[in-house]
């Protein structure tokens, strides 16, 4: 397709809004193509746009270049970024019922007047980008024209959109581009929301830590006196000291427990001596002195 330097050329393509045109005999039809993608501009860049007929071929369509109503693609070309062709070429095309046009939005077309069945076939639009007069990049689009006669012919031309797959690809590319633009525009707002959310979570965490610290100090030091309250912090109130009085539980059987005072084998009460006092043993009356 292109010269060795074509890989350095910006990637653009040609889209065909309609892949099939069905027209009655004697009507006029306008075949259109659209240039998509980044288009280079400059004094050293020249665009060459033209039309021709071709056959579908086994490998690739538009590989064979046939004239349209005896006019070759050199006779129908537009150049210099969309300017009209030379007056001599336009006059020649109009004498054959043809007219080619282009605008600054990438649209270019060819109009055929007073259609005949011989005009049916495959039509191709070709765009050639030439840089420095030696490197070039070529892209083309294809569409089919059917000219019908008789009672089954439509009253006017009917254009059928391109294949669903190509339409889906173009729609997906447009949606992806729109999503990227919306994402870039919404990025500052998203970052601001994330920052606010993290700041609120940090404040809640700090409040929980302060509450936990206050509860811990109140349990370990029941009678501590809180210092002067700081600004924005609630004043901690001292808690009364805890007291515990041990009481004896009565026995369920009614018997005295060994731990109770004045019971056999129980520990002596306060002021008592644990060991009993010893009394003198009287002398036996039957004791004989030797």
């Amino acid at each position: 397709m292109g010269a060795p330097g074509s890989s350095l050329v910006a990637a653009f393509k040609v889209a065909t809004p309609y892949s099939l045109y069905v027209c009655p005999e004697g009507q006029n039809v306008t075949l259109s193509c659209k240039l998509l993608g980044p288009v280079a501009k400059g004094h050293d860049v020249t665009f060459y746009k033209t039309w021709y007929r071709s056959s579908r071929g086994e490998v690739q369509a538009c590989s064979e270049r046939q004239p349209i109503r005896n006019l070759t693609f050199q006779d129908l070309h537009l150049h210099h970024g969309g300017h009209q062709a030379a007056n001599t070429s336009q006059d020649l095309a109009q004498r054959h019922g043809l007219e080619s046009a282009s605008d600054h939005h990438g649209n270019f077309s060819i109009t055929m007047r007073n259609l005949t069945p011989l005009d049916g076939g495959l039509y191709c639009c070709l765009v050639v980008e030439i840089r420095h007069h030696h490197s070039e990049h070529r892209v083309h689009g294809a569409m089919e024209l059917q000219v019908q006669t008789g009672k089954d012919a439509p009253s006017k031309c009917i254009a059928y959109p391109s294949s669903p797959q190509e339409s889906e690809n173009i729609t997906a590319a447009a949606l992806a581009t729109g999503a990227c633009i919306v994402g870039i525009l919404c990025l500052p707002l998203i970052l601001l929301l994330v920052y606010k959310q993290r700041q609120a979570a940090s404040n809640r965490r700090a409040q929980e830590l302060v509450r936990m610290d206050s509860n811990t100090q109140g349990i370990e030091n029941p009678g501590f006196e809180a210092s002067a309250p700081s600004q924005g912090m609630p004043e901690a109130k001292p808690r009364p000291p805890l007291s515990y009085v041990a009481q004896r539980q009565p026995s369920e059987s009614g018997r005295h427990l060994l731990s109770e005072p004045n019971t056999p084998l129980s520990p002596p009460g306060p002021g008592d001596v644990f060991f009993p006092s010893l009394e003198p043993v009287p002398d036996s009356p039957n004791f004989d002195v030797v």
Side-chain angles (χ1 to χ4, degrees):
M1 291 287 288
S6 60
S7 59
L8 301 177
V9 182
F12 62 90
K13 66 178 182 178
V14 169
T16 55
Y18 303 98
S19 60
L20 175 62
Y21 297 81
V22 180
C23 299
E25 185 179 8
Q27 280 285 338
N28 300 336
V29 65
T30 299
L31 309 179
S32 61
C33 288
K34 184 177 181 61
L35 187 62
L36 301 177
V39 178
K41 297 181 180 181
H43 299 288
D44 58 343
V45 179
T46 302
F47 279 91
Y48 181 91
K49 304 175 184 178
T50 188
W51 292 84
Y52 60 91
R53 295 183 63 174
S54 181
S55 58
R56 291 193 176 275
E58 298 180 358
V59 180
Q60 185 179 10
C62 298
S63 58
E64 181 184 359
R65 297 179 184 179
Q66 301 174 0
I68 300 176
R69 292 183 177 181
N70 296 326
L71 294 181
T72 63
F73 63 92
Q74 291 92 345
D75 299 327
L76 298 174
H77 79 278
L78 302 169
H79 58 90
H80 296 299
H83 297 288
Q84 294 292 339
N87 292 333
T88 55
S89 298
Q90 285 289 2
D91 294 340
L92 180 62
Q94 290 179 0
R95 286 198 298 267
H96 288 78
L98 301 175
E99 183 180 358
S100 56
S102 178
D103 60 18
H104 296 286
H105 301 288
N107 302 304
F108 58 104
S109 61
I110 185 171
T111 301
M112 305 174 64
R113 297 182 175 87
N114 194 17
L115 292 173
T116 65
L118 296 178
D119 292 323
L122 184 68
Y123 287 79
C124 302
C125 58
L126 174 66
V127 178
V128 181
E129 182 190 56
I130 303 175
R131 293 193 180 194
H132 306 290
H133 304 288
H134 60 81
S135 64
E136 63 181 38
H137 180 52
R138 298 170 178 260
V139 290
H140 65 267
M143 63 212 71
E144 184 178 357
L145 173 63
Q146 295 181 2
V147 181
Q148 297 182 354
T149 60
K151 297 180 179 179
D152 297 335
S155 59
K156 60 181 180 179
C157 292
I158 301 175
Y160 295 90
S162 300
S163 60
Q165 182 177 3
E166 183 177 355
S167 300
E168 290 176 0
N169 293 338
I170 296 176
T171 303
L175 292 176
T177 303
C180 291
I181 295 175
V182 172
I184 293 174
L185 295 177
C186 295
L187 183 59
L189 179 60
I190 295 174
L191 293 177
L192 179 61
L193 293 176
V194 171
Y195 172 76
K196 292 292 186 181
Q197 184 178 6
R198 295 188 64 179
Q199 189 177 20
S202 178
N203 292 339
R204 288 196 301 268
R205 179 60 178 172
Q207 293 177 0
E208 292 177 359
L209 291 176
V210 171
R211 189 181 303 112
M212 293 174 59
D213 183 65
S214 300
N215 295 339
T216 304
Q217 291 180 359
I219 294 174
E220 293 180 354
N221 304 295
F224 90 104
E225 296 181 359
S227 59
S230 59
Q231 185 177 1
M233 295 296 295
E235 181 180 358
K237 298 181 179 180
R239 298 188 178 184
L242 300 178
S243 62
Y244 175 78
V245 178
Q247 297 180 356
R248 298 181 182 272
Q249 299 295 332
S251 174
E252 296 179 358
S253 61
R255 297 180 180 180
H256 296 286
L257 298 178
L258 296 179
S259 59
E260 295 183 5
N262 301 324
T263 57
L265 301 179
S266 62
D272 297 338
V273 181
F274 181 77
F275 298 100
S277 60
L278 299 178
E279 297 180 358
V281 179
D283 296 337
S284 176
N286 298 326
F287 181 77
D288 295 331
V289 179
V290 183

